[in-house]
Amino acid sequence: AEDEVRILRGDELAALLRYRRVLELGTAEIAAERATPMVRGRLADLLGEMAGHHLSDYAAYRALDAQFHIALAALSGSAALLQQVTDTQAALSDVLNAVPRSEASMANSQDQHRRILAAIEARDRDAARVAMREHLEGIEHLLAVLMPQATA
């Protein structure tokens, strides 16, 4: 995995993170418009599953995290958007799995996911965008601090 992480360093990773932000801010807004009660329940279930994981099984947590983001994209009804979010999650997977995490950073990520879901449940597009932006910028900041050569 170290080779794959190295491939995404520098400008390429920084560009991918910017692209992801554009995709996922829009995805969050559309999810707030389109999520049905059944889908909102499924998203809540995913967050509940994530809460059951700790640092010792971070890879399992990350897999559920990716499912949450992909589930939001699926709400768009756009196959292209769903594909792009899925591809972006896959491309970032090795990088995100390689970043050292703490229980505190996982708890913070969970709080951000809950804020995203609360905005979707309230059908508040603006709040969904803001919550997603905070979530993604938190990850970007973590990468910048822990892997400065990756995001410079």
Side-chain angles (χ1 to χ4, degrees), residues 5-17:
V5 172
R6 197 172 297 120
I7 288 165
L8 270 179
R9 290 216 169 131
D11 294 342
E12 190 180 1
L13 177 57
L16 182 60
L17 291 169

Side-chain angles (χ1 to χ4, degrees), residues 45-54 61 64-65 68 110 113:
D45 288 346
L46 275 173
L47 294 192
E49 283 184 64
M50 275 190 246
H53 290 286
H54 298 283
Y61 173 87
L64 291 166
D65 188 342
F68 178 79
Q110 273 290 83
H113 286 136

Side-chain angles (χ1 to χ4, degrees), residues 15-33 43 46-47 50 62-76 78 80-93 96 109 112-113 115-117 119-120 124-140 143:
L16 182 60
L17 291 169
R18 287 192 297 272
Y19 177 66
R20 178 193 187 199
R21 198 185 320 164
V22 170
L23 284 177
E24 298 224 30
L25 291 183
T27 294
E29 181 176 314
I30 292 170
E33 283 177 9
L43 293 171
L46 275 173
L47 294 192
M50 275 190 246
R62 262 294 308 145
L64 291 166
D65 188 342
Q67 282 180 44
F68 178 79
H69 288 266
I70 290 165
L72 295 184
L75 285 168
S76 68
S78 164
L81 183 58
L82 176 59
Q83 189 64 58
Q84 293 305 311
V85 170
T86 302
D87 289 350
T88 305
Q89 285 289 332
L92 287 171
S93 179
L96 295 175
S109 178
Q112 291 167 347
H113 286 136
R115 282 202 296 278
I116 293 165
L117 181 57
I120 289 168
D124 187 332
R125 296 180 305 172
D126 294 337
R129 283 186 81 95
V130 169
M132 182 63 82
R133 183 184 300 118
E134 288 172 358
H135 181 47
L136 298 181
E137 286 179 346
I139 294 162
E140 290 168 19
L143 287 170

